[in-house]
């Protein structure tokens, strides 16, 4: 009985084997239907990259000093054109030290106009610059932008404060200039938030 069952099973497989080979040889190697008469070619589907969580950026850190009791920090400004940059400079030149620097010392940086020289009309045609103003209780504290990301509802700029063990006893105001490499990504109505990280 067992031998009869195996014989029937073997015959069935032998009868199906040529049919499978014929189907396999007629089936194209790809899933494309291009070139098959009467069937329109399927549109090519491109896998779109997921929106990046983090965006490429460069940053400049400019010490601009200028203590003001009414100022609230961090203060964030998106500059979208050379005209906006010039207007910002004129509106804040008395509030902060926005002058050029002939010399850079250990406790200073290049001047605000020196940092802004590259922000011309050609720059703003492709991208914006984000100004983040900070105030520190010591001029010895420095900063490092570690991440810029969009979380679906807001932009988050992560900044690490670099605090030395011993610091100077002077107030310091900073303009951190964040230059996005992905183009004009900051919309007028999307909030931007700064978070301090370790």
């Amino acid at each position: 009985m067992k031998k009869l069952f195996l014989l029937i099973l073997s015959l069935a497989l032998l009868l199906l084997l040529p049919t499978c080979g014929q189907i396999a040889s007629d089936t194209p190697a790809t899933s494309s239907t291009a070139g098959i008469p009467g069937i329109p070619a399927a549109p090519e589907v491109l896998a779109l990259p997921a929106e990046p969580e983090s965006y490429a950026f460069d940053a400049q850190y400019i010490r601009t000093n200028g203590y003001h009791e009414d100022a609230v920090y961090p203060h964030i400004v998106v500059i979208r054109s050379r005209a906006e940059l010039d207007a910002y400079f004129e509106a804040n030149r008395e509030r902060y030290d926005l002058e050029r620097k002939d010399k850079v010392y250990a406790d200073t940086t290049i001047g605000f106009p020196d940092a802004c020289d590259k922000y011309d009309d050609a720059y703003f045609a492709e991208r914006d610059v984000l100004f983040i103003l900070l105030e520190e209780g010591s001029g010895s504290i420095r900063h490092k932008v570690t991440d810029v990301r969009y979380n679906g509802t807001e932009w988050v700029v992560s900044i690490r404060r670099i605090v030395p063990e011993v610091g100077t006893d002077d107030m310091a105001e900073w303009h951190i200039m964040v230059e996005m490499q992905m183009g004009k990504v900051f919309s007028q109505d999307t909030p931007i938030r700064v978070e301090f990280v370790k």
Side-chain angles (χ1 to χ4, degrees), residues 5-186:
F5 175 74
L6 288 174
L7 181 63
I8 294 172
L9 183 61
S10 298
L11 286 173
L13 286 173
L14 285 174
L15 291 174
L16 290 175
L17 190 61
T19 309
C20 291
Q22 187 176 10
I23 292 171
S25 65
D26 290 343
T27 304
T30 65
S31 61
S32 171
T33 57
I36 298 176
I39 300 177
E44 188 174 337
V45 178
L46 299 175
L48 297 175
E51 185 169 309
E53 182 175 296
S54 296
Y55 287 76
F57 65 90
D58 291 317
Q60 297 190 77
Y61 308 87
I62 311 302
R63 185 170 176 175
T64 50
N65 292 343
Y67 174 76
H68 300 282
E69 282 188 27
D70 62 332
V72 177
Y73 299 98
H75 181 69
I76 301 168
V77 179
V78 178
I79 304 293
R80 294 184 166 85
S81 68
R82 183 64 201 201
E84 284 185 16
L85 177 59
D86 293 341
Y88 179 88
F89 178 80
E90 289 303 321
N92 291 282
R93 67 186 310 168
E94 301 299 322
R95 291 179 61 88
Y96 299 100
D97 178 6
L98 301 184
E99 299 307 316
R100 290 192 183 276
K101 299 284 193 278
D102 293 329
K103 291 186 177 180
V104 176
Y105 299 97
D107 63 342
T108 64
T109 63
I110 63 173
F112 183 88
D114 303 307
C116 292
D117 281 343
K118 65 179 175 177
Y119 303 140
D120 56 11
D121 289 333
Y123 175 92
F124 286 112
E126 296 181 4
R127 62 183 65 97
D128 302 325
V129 63
L130 180 67
F131 287 175
I132 300 173
L133 285 70
L134 299 178
E135 182 176 73
E136 295 291 0
S138 171
S140 300
I141 298 172
R142 298 293 188 259
H143 308 92
K144 175 78 175 159
V145 177
T146 60
D147 190 36
V148 179
R149 66 187 176 283
Y150 181 68
N151 65 16
T153 57
E154 65 181 354
W155 285 94
V156 181
V157 181
S158 301
I159 299 176
R160 181 168 49 92
R161 296 172 70 241
I162 304 165
V163 183
E165 288 185 23
V166 178
T168 57
D169 189 21
D170 59 334
M171 300 290 288
E173 284 74 31
W174 292 85
H175 275 72
I176 299 176
M177 302 172 178
V178 180
E179 306 163 1
M180 300 304 294
Q181 301 304 313
M182 299 284 288
K184 292 183 162 289
V185 296
F186 299 115

